[in-house]
Amino acid sequence: ARETTLLSLLKNAFSIVLGVIVFMLVLSEIGVNIGPLLASVGVLSLAFSFGAQKLVQDVVTGVFIQFENVSTGGPR
């Protein structure tokens, strides 16, 4: 179950990152200047990270707990 959870989490994260990269490449190819878009996304993500700091901390802690239990061969 832990492996399934970790693989699902990594698969979703990879899909999101790949989707964003493809979207930016498509916008760039049709002639949209993505520089200002990247800058505004950076500022918005910084503001979001301050707002969701506890949520992100809980997610990261959960991932580390899952990795520790898998790598040490803990109980299933």
Side-chain angles (χ1 to χ4, degrees):
R2 288 186 178 101
E3 291 91 7
T4 304
T5 302
L6 287 173
L7 287 175
S8 175
L9 181 68
L10 291 175
K11 180 181 172 185
N12 288 338
F14 180 74
S15 296
I16 290 170
V17 168
L18 185 62
V20 168
I21 290 172
V22 168
F23 180 70
M24 292 292 183
L25 286 173
V26 168
L27 285 178
S28 178
E29 287 297 319
I30 62 174
V32 176
N33 186 6
I34 62 171
L37 182 62
L38 289 175
S40 60
V41 167
V43 171
L44 288 175
S45 66
L46 181 64
F48 178 76
S49 67
F50 282 124
Q53 186 174 7
K54 185 64 176 171
L55 175 67
V56 171
Q57 181 183 6
D58 290 343
V59 169
V60 170
T61 301
V63 168
F64 278 120
I65 289 171
Q66 291 289 332
F67 274 126
E68 286 175 1
N69 286 339
V70 169
S71 65
T72 59
R76 293 180 180 224

